[in-house]
Amino acid sequence: MKKNIFLFTFVTLLILSSCRSYQPVLLTSSQIFKEGQVSFKQCHASTIQSIGKDSLIASWFGGTHESNPDVVIWASRYLNGKWETPIQVADGALDEKQYPTWNPVLYQHPQSDTLYLYYKIGPNPREWKGYVKYSLDKGNTWSTAKALPAGVLGPIKNKPITLDNGIILSPSSTESKDEIWKAHIEISKDRGTTWSIVEINHESPVQVIQPSILQHKDRKIQVLCRSKENKVMSSFSNDHGKTWQPWQATNLLNPNAATDAIRLKNGQFMIVYNPDLAGKDWWEGRTKLRVALSKDGLKWNDALILEDGQTGDEYSYPTIIQDPQGLIHITYTWNRKSIKHIVLK
């Protein structure tokens, strides 16, 4: 008995020590495509998903420039050690008129082989609507587009998470014509067939969009949001997203720019963010990009510098996953000319 207790204590201390000493290591850094290898001039808002051992798929929107009607959704698969030539997988054709597309998000339920591609169609983020396609062959071919139910936008930028009971929590938000930002969660108990909407502190004056969702070990749910407060903002739920506590500021700066965060297999949380304050124009503050770690989701410590650019550079809209082998994949906008792919361990 004493031997078992000693062994359990030793293993526990070893795990805790490993978590405390974890430092991400950069394995590879590359562009999914080079400028001139694609037909679009600008690209933005990438998403990435593991589709098998050593295989990935990434998606983004690209065209003349953001909000132009020729902006469509592109995708590339990473197979046999290289990224394939990007192909168009969705557009904004509605009622014989062409609208820009926005913010694709790849998602796969852990108990299903169906891969979903959520995205938005509309003239701007205040008037866009949510759409979805699915693939049964790991992104090689896609279904026709289907509009999401009225009022359901789908994941706005970051991935849904799936709870142990199979319920999907999809992070979403709205931007009104009055430029008011509010976050909400879209919940599905039937793998995305139907959705219910839960507002997150809509009575608060704090303005936030583009949540990431984290699940803590005690089953508490946390959202981390881009904000107009110059800080990454957080809220917690103790009932699986049904109700939410007041907004709290983390110690992370936020220049009105997107972030993404996940819970790692070692129990720690990882976020990718722009460490700066908002400027006069929306694109200011996006020249630097960092990785930070946290144990509680509120206090973060920088762990890695991904970009340290100059005025005029833009490294933004990161997305992050951890694959079944434990490798961490990050993609982000690289000067609107390409999508950067980072691999950490």
Side-chain angles (χ1 to χ4, degrees):
M1 182 67 176
K2 289 183 178 179
K3 184 178 180 180
N4 290 338
I5 294 174
F6 173 78
L7 181 61
F8 175 79
T9 303
F10 174 77
V11 171
T12 301
L13 290 174
L14 188 63
I15 293 173
L16 292 174
S17 175
S18 174
C19 289
R20 281 195 296 267
S21 61
Y22 170 67
Q23 175 67 29
V25 175
L26 178 65
L27 296 182
T28 64
S29 173
S30 61
Q31 294 178 15
I32 293 178
F33 53 88
K34 299 289 187 180
E35 186 181 7
Q37 294 179 334
V38 290
S39 61
F40 48 86
K41 293 182 178 180
Q42 291 192 3
C43 58
H44 192 42
S46 62
T47 178
I48 190 169
Q49 172 71 32
S50 176
I51 53 171
K53 191 176 187 306
D54 301 323
S55 299
L56 305 160
I57 183 170
S59 183
W60 59 91
F61 70 71
T64 302
H65 58 78
E66 180 177 330
S67 80
N68 199 66
D70 70 355
V71 171
V72 297
I73 305 297
W74 297 82
S76 174
R77 297 192 302 170
Y78 183 83
L79 303 174
N80 302 316
K82 65 178 182 179
W83 287 101
E84 296 181 333
T85 301
I87 60 171
Q88 179 182 324
V89 294
D91 62 31
L94 292 175
D95 300 325
E96 299 183 353
K97 188 173 181 179
Q98 192 75 25
Y99 295 93
T101 59
W102 308 77
N103 297 14
V105 178
L106 292 162
Y107 166 76
Q108 186 170 333
H109 193 284
Q111 298 175 357
S112 172
D113 292 329
T114 304
L115 177 66
Y116 290 94
L117 174 68
Y118 292 93
Y119 60 102
K120 276 63 68 184
I121 298 177
N124 55 64
R126 292 156 295 285
E127 299 176 88
W128 62 22
K129 295 182 179 180
Y131 287 79
V132 64
K133 287 189 170 190
Y134 65 86
S135 173
L136 301 177
D137 54 10
K138 299 183 178 180
N140 186 48
T141 60
W142 293 91
S143 70
T144 57
K146 179 181 178 181
L148 294 174
V152 176
L153 292 173
I156 284 296
K157 180 208 164 284
N158 297 321
K159 285 184 182 294
I161 70 165
T162 312
L163 303 181
D164 292 340
N165 58 9
I167 292 176
I168 302 171
L169 303 183
S170 178
S172 198
S173 57
T174 55
E175 303 176 45
S176 74
K177 292 183 179 181
D178 297 324
E179 301 294 337
I180 302 300
W181 291 2
K182 296 295 178 184
H184 66 271
I185 297 293
E186 296 171 351
I187 302 176
S188 178
K189 298 180 180 180
D190 51 15
R191 298 193 185 185
T193 302
T194 60
W195 297 89
S196 60
I197 297 174
V198 176
E199 297 176 350
I200 306 179
N201 300 323
H202 278 203
E203 74 287 349
S204 169
V206 174
Q207 297 197 50
V208 295
I209 55 171
Q210 300 173 347
S212 298
I213 305 179
L214 302 177
Q215 184 174 26
H216 290 243
K217 290 181 179 179
D218 60 2
R219 305 302 177 186
K220 184 181 297 183
I221 303 296
Q222 180 187 12
V223 291
L224 291 163
C225 295
R226 166 184 176 176
S227 82
K228 294 184 179 181
E229 314 296 321
N230 278 318
K231 291 281 189 176
V232 174
M233 300 299 293
S234 167
S235 179
F236 287 90
S237 171
N238 294 315
D239 52 12
H240 306 294
K242 296 177 184 177
T243 60
W244 293 87
Q245 297 175 7
W247 292 111
Q248 292 177 267
T250 70
N251 65 323
L252 295 173
L253 296 177
N254 183 249
N256 181 11
T259 68
D260 196 14
I262 60 169
R263 176 181 169 182
L264 300 175
K265 296 180 187 296
N266 66 13
Q268 290 195 78
F269 302 110
M270 177 177 283
I271 194 170
V272 188
Y273 78 109
N274 298 106
D276 210 340
L277 300 175
K280 292 181 180 179
D281 294 306
W282 62 264
W283 60 82
E284 294 185 70
R286 301 183 179 189
T287 60
K288 303 177 189 300
L289 195 65
R290 293 181 188 171
V291 173
L293 296 171
S294 176
K295 296 177 183 177
D296 63 4
L298 290 173
K299 184 179 179 181
W300 297 80
N301 296 301
D302 285 342
L304 198 64
I305 296 174
L306 297 180
E307 299 284 357
D308 189 15
Q310 301 176 349
T311 301
D313 290 339
E314 183 187 347
Y315 309 111
S316 64
Y317 268 61
T319 187
I320 177 173
I321 63 169
Q322 188 169 26
D323 69 22
Q325 289 72 47
L327 294 179
I328 298 161
H329 298 269
I330 300 168
T331 62
Y332 56 90
T333 298
W334 190 87
N335 281 325
R336 301 267 172 159
K337 297 178 181 178
S338 186
I339 301 298
K340 195 79 167 282
H341 174 219
I342 300 289
V343 183
L344 309 177
K345 70 172 183 178

